Amino acid sequence: MKVIITVFTVIALLIISSCNTGVIRNEPSLLTQSDLKFSGIAKTWDEGIPLGDGMLGALVWEKNGRLRFSLDRADLWDLRPTRNLDKPEWKYSWVKEQWEKNTYSKVQNMFDVPYDADPAPSKIPGGAMEFDIASLGEVESVELNINDALCNIKWKNGATLQAFVNAASPVGWFRFEGVKAGFMPEFIAPAYNLEGDSETDNSHSGQDLRRLEYPKGEIIKAPNSITYNQNGWGGFKYQINVRWKEQKNVVEGCWSINSEFPGWEKQTKAEELTAKAMQDGYPGQLEQHRKWWNIFWLQSGISIPDPVLNKQWHLEMYKLGAAIGNGAPPISLQAIWTADNGKLPPWKGDFHNDLNTQLSYWPAYSSNHLQQESGYIDWLQKNKPEFEKYTQKFYQVSGLNVPGVVTLAGQPMGGWIQYSFGPTVSAWLGHHFYLHWRYTMDRDFLEKEAYPWIREVAQYLDLISVTDKNGLKKLPLSSSPEIFDNSRQAWFPEMTNFDLGLIRWTFEKAAELAGELGKTDEAKKWSKVLSQWPMLDIDPASGFTYAKGFPYDKSHRHFSHQIAFHPLGLIDWSKGEKDQQIIKRSEERRVGKECRSRW
């Protein structure tokens, strides 16, 4: 269902997990070997050079012969409520009832369809600025220098561009040298009011931006400045400002974006941010930026014989640094590089609290970038009241679960509800709290954040469980992303290894952390509850199944049935021959070339 820009590759994760990255420093020469280098400028938005500081993002590419900067900000969102989530049928118990009656189409029509049919809630793009580069002639080289997060473009006539998004300040910069007088940016508003047909591309394009029905934005031009003001849904608005100066054959300038939601904390206007940045000057801002990235790269490093894998690791670290930070919300499906094609972003650019988000943060732990990872935990804690409200309303119990697909404000969005309203989402998110504790050994965090989160998840799971004919606990309905897509069959009557792995892990860690804090009675309680859940279903010949009676017999990109192996570690190679045999047989179980190629 999802293939996204911000997911880290399996290879990179395996490298990070297996190397001691804390003892090797990244020398500039090693980073230079990992730079991206091209002989021309990308012609599509999703192949543009990505620049970012966590909150602001830019893609540098060419559109219709003009150099284009796609400008974005992480909190540009249309937050109108998802349809039907205010209906009395919006309950786990009602879903189960329809499943039992074989009238599951009612569930799909009520809760799956709105996600695809309605334009919002959704992440939205900011805008773009373009430069007419026809007079510059042929491009000589395009580079992304990851050591200091700079985009450098050279033309054969001697003209150059240097661009960056300041990692230490919410401002993006551009500097052209060797250009003629009058070389200046033009602002391009998003296609909220486009006349005629919008674009199509091969990037899983969403619906037209026109469906949001926004009023036409205001573009204010002044000498050496352009300001764009756009009103959205429900009082939301945002501003983009571009400011520049010319001197001989040099044009340098900056841009910024601010957003405004009713009742949210006020932000500094983009026009004020750029005015101050121009006073600081390009050299001073570039120095701040380079200092931030120098510290970032000094936090970890890697050195292995394979140059391809070395480069992959460095590029993933660059992406981590560019996509997270500065108080920004978590990485969404396309992070701060929202689609720039006149349409809503693929899958609405939302937050998928499953493999999509999880893989984006795992590299932060062993690469010593917990400052980046902690932003995700901060966002989860900030929206915890919203998640508890969701748990009470949909699952009708206390405790804590989290929607699998959520908005910027932590509100559920629907979609394939086996996963968007999945019963074990909060358990998987608890894995991040546990890893943060283990990598920091911060007892204050353990006591105030990690254990309380996992404890509330355990309480919720215990309350929604039912007892099977063998006297063991189970979920009323279980699922395994994303086997059988969103069909009725995607709900299993028996426990899936995906849900069961997360549940067993939660109670095991709840007992462990309670014991660490000296809460002996609570530790005993969670250990007892753990013993009441069944063991994972393992086929002697092929290893992990999806669920009892459902062997792994088809290719699937999520491999969710193996979650107890990775990342949870309930089945672990170091535990001996029994676990090793399970892992071996599961890895050997491949169906056709498609499955093999996915690994």
Side-chain angles (χ1 to χ4, degrees):
M1 181 179 171
K2 310 289 184 294
V3 179
I4 64 173
I5 294 174
T6 58
V7 162
F8 289 85
T9 63
V10 172
I11 291 177
L13 288 169
L14 293 176
I15 295 170
I16 293 167
S17 298
S18 62
C19 296
N20 181 358
T21 59
V23 297
I24 301 169
R25 298 300 185 188
N26 279 306
E27 297 296 332
S29 59
L30 290 175
L31 293 172
T32 299
Q33 296 171 21
S34 299
D35 290 344
L36 293 178
K37 301 180 180 182
F38 308 97
S39 59
I41 306 173
K43 298 299 192 292
T44 61
W45 69 270
D46 53 356
E47 294 181 359
I49 297 294
L51 303 172
D53 71 347
M55 183 62 84
L56 295 183
L59 293 168
V60 183
W61 56 294
E62 183 180 331
K63 181 177 181 180
N64 299 327
R66 300 169 67 87
L67 185 68
R68 186 175 178 99
F69 285 65
S70 302
L71 309 181
D72 196 10
R73 182 180 164 97
D75 60 3
L76 299 184
W77 265 81
D78 185 307
L79 290 175
R80 69 188 74 183
T82 300
R83 179 160 49 99
N84 292 341
L85 301 192
D86 58 348
K87 293 185 178 296
E89 293 88 348
W90 190 52
K91 293 193 288 283
Y92 186 46
S93 58
W94 184 82
V95 172
K96 182 175 183 292
E97 180 183 343
Q98 305 315 306
W99 181 85
E100 291 173 337
K101 291 179 178 179
N102 202 19
T103 55
Y104 194 72
S105 60
K106 292 182 179 180
V107 177
Q108 294 169 318
N109 291 333
M110 185 168 289
F111 302 130
D112 293 1
V113 169
Y115 182 89
D116 293 321
D118 298 342
S122 178
K123 175 75 176 70
I124 59 174
M129 62 179 176
E130 291 186 347
F131 297 85
D132 186 351
I133 56 173
S135 64
L136 302 184
E138 189 176 351
V139 171
E140 179 179 314
S141 64
V142 179
E143 296 184 1
L144 171 61
N145 304 127
I146 65 171
N147 182 48
D148 43 16
L150 292 174
C151 172
N152 289 296
I153 301 178
K154 294 181 181 180
W155 284 264
K156 290 186 177 180
N157 73 346
T160 63
L161 163 69
Q162 186 174 81
F164 66 96
V165 175
N166 191 344
S169 177
V171 177
W173 283 90
F174 55 89
R175 178 182 171 88
F176 290 89
E177 294 186 12
V179 295
K180 296 180 180 180
F183 187 87
M184 62 183 66
E186 177 184 353
F187 184 81
I188 311 297
Y192 298 128
N193 309 101
L194 179 72
E195 295 182 3
D197 295 332
S198 62
E199 304 171 45
T200 58
D201 58 24
N202 62 352
S203 38
H204 305 282
S205 298
Q207 303 173 40
D208 281 0
L209 289 173
R210 290 174 291 189
R211 290 207 58 208
L212 295 173
E213 299 182 343
Y214 287 175
K216 188 174 183 178
E218 177 188 36
I219 298 178
I220 304 171
K221 295 184 178 181
N224 297 74
S225 176
I226 302 174
T227 301
Y228 173 67
N229 294 304
Q230 177 65 58
N231 291 325
W233 180 87
F236 165 71
K237 61 181 69 174
Y238 68 92
Q239 181 185 90
I240 301 179
N241 180 263
V242 184
R243 196 180 298 270
W244 68 93
K245 66 179 181 179
E246 296 181 73
Q247 186 176 0
K248 294 184 180 180
N249 296 327
V250 175
V251 174
E252 66 181 31
C254 61
W255 60 271
S256 190
I257 310 175
N258 77 279
S259 63
E260 184 177 329
F261 292 89
W264 292 30
E265 183 179 352
K266 291 286 186 181
Q267 299 174 9
T268 304
K269 292 285 189 181
E271 56 193 358
E272 297 175 35
L273 291 167
T274 59
K276 182 182 183 305
M278 290 296 282
Q279 290 178 354
D280 294 342
Y282 188 90
Q285 291 264 313
L286 179 58
E287 183 180 358
Q288 292 176 8
H289 174 71
R290 281 177 160 153
K291 181 179 179 180
W292 188 96
W293 278 97
N294 180 59
I295 294 172
F296 178 86
W297 288 117
L298 288 174
Q299 289 177 255
S300 62
I302 192 170
S303 180
I304 56 177
D306 191 318
V308 174
L309 296 183
N310 252 319
K311 183 172 184 175
Q312 180 70 32
W313 189 86
H314 286 118
L315 290 175
E316 297 296 348
M317 287 299 100
Y318 167 79
K319 193 193 309 180
L320 184 74
I324 308 175
N326 286 315
I331 295 175
S332 58
L333 290 185
Q334 289 82 40
I336 43 173
W337 302 296
T338 301
D340 183 11
N341 59 357
K343 295 179 179 292
L344 293 170
W347 303 287
K348 301 185 177 180
D350 56 36
F351 301 98
H352 264 64
N353 291 314
D354 58 12
L355 173 145
N356 294 278
T357 305
Q358 305 288 351
L359 266 68
S360 296
Y361 283 90
W362 285 340
Y365 298 102
S366 55
S367 65
N368 194 30
H369 290 301
L370 292 181
Q371 185 176 1
Q372 274 66 40
E373 170 271 341
S374 63
Y376 189 25
I377 290 177
D378 292 343
W379 182 83
L380 290 170
Q381 291 285 39
K382 175 184 176 181
N383 290 290
K384 192 175 179 182
E386 195 70 37
F387 303 148
E388 291 170 334
K389 186 190 306 181
Y390 157 79
T391 306
Q392 185 68 56
K393 189 171 182 181
F394 183 70
Y395 285 98
Q396 299 177 282
V397 297
S398 59
L400 180 64
N401 196 17
V402 178
V405 180
V406 297
T407 69
L408 172 69
Q411 297 163 337
M413 292 179 63
W416 293 5
I417 71 162
Q418 291 88 344
Y419 325 113
S420 64
F421 302 151
T424 55
V425 175
S426 58
W428 200 353
L429 294 171
H431 186 243
H432 286 285
F433 284 82
Y434 181 77
L435 288 179
H436 188 90
W437 148 244
R438 293 298 295 166
Y439 275 88
T440 63
M441 300 304 286
D442 181 344
R443 291 195 67 82
D444 191 56
F445 175 81
L446 168 63
E447 182 175 1
K448 295 179 180 178
E449 299 192 54
Y451 179 60
W453 181 281
I454 292 174
R455 178 184 59 206
E456 286 192 48
V457 175
Q459 290 171 344
Y460 146 77
L461 290 170
D462 195 30
L463 288 171
I464 65 166
S465 67
V466 295
T467 303
D468 66 15
K469 61 184 179 182
N470 298 315
L472 295 174
K473 290 180 178 291
K474 58 176 281 189
L475 293 175
L477 287 177
S478 186
S479 66
S480 186
E482 292 170 347
I483 187 64
F484 302 131
D485 297 336
N486 68 327
S487 67
R488 177 183 181 275
Q489 193 179 3
W491 284 115
F492 290 74
E494 301 299 328
M495 290 296 299
T496 64
N497 274 334
F498 173 77
D499 281 338
L500 186 56
L502 287 165
I503 289 169
R504 292 193 62 84
W505 180 89
T506 296
F507 287 112
E508 177 184 293
K509 298 310 175 187
E512 175 188 323
L513 299 188
E516 180 69 26
L517 290 169
K519 300 177 183 292
T520 306
D521 290 343
E522 290 187 36
K524 289 179 179 178
K525 171 187 174 181
W526 299 130
S527 293
K528 181 179 179 180
V529 176
L530 173 61
S531 69
Q532 296 168 350
W533 288 84
M535 302 300 291
L536 297 162
D537 189 72
I538 307 295
D539 182 81
S542 59
F544 290 104
T545 64
Y546 285 117
K548 190 173 183 62
F550 292 88
Y552 177 76
D553 59 359
K554 56 175 61 66
S555 169
H556 199 271
R557 66 180 177 274
H558 275 272
F559 299 102
S560 53
H561 63 301
Q562 294 195 51
I563 196 169
F565 162 43
H566 185 74
L568 301 182
L570 298 178
I571 303 295
D572 191 290
W573 189 270
S574 66
K575 291 182 179 179
E577 185 176 353
K578 181 180 178 181
D579 281 20
Q580 291 174 14
Q581 288 300 317
I582 294 171
I583 295 168
K584 283 181 180 179
R585 289 164 184 165
S586 298
E587 294 301 298
E588 290 168 357
R589 181 64 170 174
R590 295 291 180 263
V591 182
K593 294 180 179 179
E594 179 189 5
C595 186
R596 285 193 292 271
S597 68
R598 290 187 187 277
W599 280 93

